[in-house]
């Protein structure tokens, strides 16, 4: 007798996308965590300029998710993912001449960011489309684990080559993305707006077809007009703030940690950070899903505050301990914000994830602008650790201000 599949069983396309997510981040994070070092040390850009470049690239990568979500809803998830991967492959190939010309490297970074903006909303929507609400935490946490497994190995594998053999590294990443793109071409094609993946029920039987009812255009217009009003605005704003605080760590840890440790140790810290995400996020997904939203936000921001303050100590142990604390904050905040956005919005998952990427882009942009100038100021003062204390202070002060502003917002009070 064939055993019944459990609720954790993934379909073939879902398994492929999870494997593809691992390979995509493996290639991306072999390069992207070292961009501040490459732009500043190898290509000679000023730190202030590096901050602006990273801020604009992050804005394109994240905020462009709104375009990616809308495109996926119109032309289909598979087509959108293919277009995105072609753009990213061209972007990594463009880094090869960019190793000699700063403006070409910046253009390559923007191409890679555009590809990520188009890809991620469609990828997440492919995973959760028509999945039961109870399965969404597992699917999203599995996606996060696949992404972070690539993040774990990418910097560690690339750290010996990122400055000494950059051309070979970028060529390898380009070939990897070309292969992943070819694999995506074999995924099942879905009609625009249709569900590409329909998981089985626990008894092995296919699920019933989705309802054929289509809301009238006036109702759709009313829903779209209220997409970011009332409770819908809360996870959007929380994501802006979460990413704003997290991206200080993402963008500027390399500049801080490498001179005080080494590129190998920095790569090892990122690897351990990502491996912790891989293991802990699925294990904690059900617990996080059951948390009251306000409590999840308090826990996540408190962990980030402690982690940023710990980084300010500046030795090997502090860098590792600070990263672990920030990792816990990321697990709680990022997963809970996505789950709340899905639960509160009437729109299709691709559009919801696209708007969450837009929120992340806004947060990353403000972080990049403030971080470049702030880190340069702390470095010139001779105390770079003060930069992390200032970020920790933001983790304490900004969440209550954000909550108060939302409670007083007319859009939040709109029924």
């Amino acid at each position: 007798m064939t055993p019944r599949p459990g609720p954790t069983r993934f379909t073939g396309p879902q398994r492929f996308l999870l494997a593809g997510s691992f390979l995509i981040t493996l290639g991306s994070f072999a390069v992207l965590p070292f961009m501040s070092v490459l732009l500043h040390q190898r290509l000679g850009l000023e730190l202030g300029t590096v901050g602006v470049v990273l801020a604009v690239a992050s804005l394109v990568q994240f905020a462009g998710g709104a375009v990616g979500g809308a495109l996926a809803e119109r032309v289909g998830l598979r087509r959108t993912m293919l277009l995105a991967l072609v753009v990213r492959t061209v972007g990594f190939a463009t880094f090869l001449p960019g190793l000699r010309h700063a403006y070409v490297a910046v253009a390559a970074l923007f191409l890679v960011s555009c590809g990520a903006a188009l890809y991620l909303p469609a990828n997440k929507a492919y995973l959760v489309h028509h999945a039961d609400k109870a399965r969404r935490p597992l699917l999203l946490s599995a996606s996060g684990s696949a992404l972070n497994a690539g993040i774990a190995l990418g910097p560690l594998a690339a750290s010996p080559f990122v400055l000494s053999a950059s051309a070979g590294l970028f060529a390898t990443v380009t070939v990897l993305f070309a292969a992943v793109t070819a694999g995506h071409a074999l995924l099942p094609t879905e009609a625009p707006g249709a569900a590409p993946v329909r998981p089985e029920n626990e008894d092995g039987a296919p699920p019933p077809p989705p309802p054929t009812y289509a809301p009238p255009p006036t109702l759709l217009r009313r829903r779209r007009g209220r997409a970011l009003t009332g409770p819908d605005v809360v996870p959007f704003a929380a994501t802006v703030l979460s990413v704003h605080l997290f991206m200080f760590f993402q963008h500027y840890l390399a500049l801080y940690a490498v001179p005080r440790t080494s590129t190998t140790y920095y790569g090892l810290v990122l690897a351990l950070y990502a491996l912790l995400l891989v293991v802990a996020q699925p294990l904690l997904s059900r617990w996080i899903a059951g948390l009251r939203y306000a409590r999840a936000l308090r826990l996540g921001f408190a962990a980030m505050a402690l982690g940023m303050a710990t980084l300010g100590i500046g030795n090997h142990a502090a860098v590792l301990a600070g990263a672990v604390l920030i990792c816990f904050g990321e697990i709680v905040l990022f997963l809970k914000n996505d789950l709340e956005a899905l639960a509160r919005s009437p729109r299709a998952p691709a559009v919801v994830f696209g708007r969450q990427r837009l929120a992340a882009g806004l947060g990353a942009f403000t972080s990049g602008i403030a971080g470049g100038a702030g880190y340069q100021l702390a470095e010139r003062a001779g105390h770079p650790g003060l930069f992390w204390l200032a970020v920790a202070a933001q983790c304490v002060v900004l969440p209550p201000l954000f909550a108060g502003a939302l409670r007083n917002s007319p859009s939040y009070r709109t029924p």
Side-chain angles (χ1 to χ4, degrees):
M1 180 178 179
T2 303
R4 293 180 178 181
T8 60
R9 179 176 177 178
F10 299 133
T11 65
Q14 285 173 337
R15 287 193 293 270
F16 173 81
L17 283 184
L18 293 173
S21 295
F22 165 73
L23 293 175
I24 286 169
T25 48
L26 176 70
S28 297
F29 275 78
V31 174
L32 298 181
F34 301 99
M35 284 309 302
S36 59
V37 176
L38 284 171
L39 293 174
H40 178 55
Q41 294 185 4
R42 176 161 184 159
L43 296 174
L45 294 181
E46 294 289 334
L47 276 177
T49 304
V50 170
V52 172
V53 169
L54 292 177
V56 176
S58 296
L59 181 65
V60 170
Q61 175 176 340
F62 290 101
V67 177
L71 181 66
E73 188 179 39
R74 180 174 294 273
V75 306
L77 303 175
R78 174 180 169 274
R79 291 178 182 176
T80 302
M81 288 190 289
L82 279 173
L83 173 62
L85 288 171
V86 169
V87 172
R88 293 190 86 177
T89 303
V90 172
F92 281 111
T94 306
F95 270 117
L96 290 170
L99 294 173
R100 296 185 299 274
H101 307 285
Y103 65 91
V104 179
V106 171
L109 179 61
F110 287 153
L111 281 173
V112 171
S113 299
C114 288
L118 295 176
Y119 181 80
L120 288 171
N123 173 278
K124 283 188 173 183
Y126 204 109
L127 285 172
V128 305
H129 214 54
H130 285 314
D132 293 337
K133 184 178 179 180
R135 286 176 54 84
R136 286 177 172 179
L138 176 64
L139 289 167
L140 291 178
S141 63
S143 175
S145 292
L147 292 170
N148 286 296
I151 293 172
L153 297 179
L156 187 62
S159 58
F161 311 106
V162 68
L163 294 177
S164 61
S166 302
L169 178 61
F170 281 112
T172 301
V173 172
T174 301
V175 172
L176 175 63
F177 267 82
V180 172
T181 303
H184 277 67
L186 302 177
L187 285 172
T189 303
E190 85 288 345
V197 178
R198 294 176 59 192
E200 294 179 344
N201 293 325
E202 294 187 26
D203 60 1
T212 57
Y213 166 73
T218 54
L219 180 57
L220 285 176
R221 285 195 296 269
R222 192 180 309 140
R223 286 181 176 178
R224 290 175 182 176
R226 294 178 54 190
L228 287 176
T229 61
D232 291 355
V233 78
V234 178
F236 182 90
T239 300
V240 172
L241 182 58
S242 301
V243 176
H244 167 81
L245 296 170
F246 173 76
M247 292 304 286
F248 289 112
F249 171 81
Q250 181 73 31
H251 280 161
Y252 299 104
L253 183 63
L255 287 174
Y256 181 75
V258 170
R260 290 161 180 78
T261 57
S262 67
T263 56
T264 301
Y265 185 81
Y266 170 66
L268 179 62
V269 167
L270 289 188
L272 292 174
Y273 181 101
L275 286 173
L276 183 58
L277 284 174
V278 170
V279 174
Q281 195 168 54
L283 294 177
L284 296 176
S285 62
R286 182 174 295 181
W287 172 71
I288 293 171
L291 283 175
R292 289 179 60 250
Y293 194 28
R295 186 181 182 190
L297 293 179
R298 285 195 296 270
L299 285 173
F301 287 127
M304 281 203 175
L306 289 173
M308 299 294 181
T310 303
L311 289 178
I313 299 172
N315 57 34
H316 286 68
V319 170
L320 178 58
V324 170
L325 286 165
I326 293 167
C327 177
F328 177 75
E330 179 188 352
I331 289 172
V332 173
L333 291 172
F334 287 22
L335 179 57
K336 191 64 176 180
N337 286 335
D338 276 355
L339 291 173
E340 285 293 313
L342 281 173
R344 296 174 184 231
S345 176
R347 297 299 303 278
V351 176
V352 173
F353 289 126
R355 285 176 175 161
Q356 285 296 97
R357 296 289 295 177
L358 171 60
L362 295 174
F365 179 77
T366 58
S367 178
I369 293 295
Y375 192 89
Q376 189 169 27
L377 181 64
E379 192 175 61
R380 286 177 177 175
H383 300 285
L386 293 176
F387 172 80
W388 301 106
L389 295 179
V391 178
Q394 290 185 62
C395 295
V396 173
V397 172
L398 292 182
L401 295 178
F402 138 82
L406 283 182
R407 282 193 296 268
N408 296 324
S409 169
S411 65
Y412 180 71
R413 295 195 300 268
T414 301

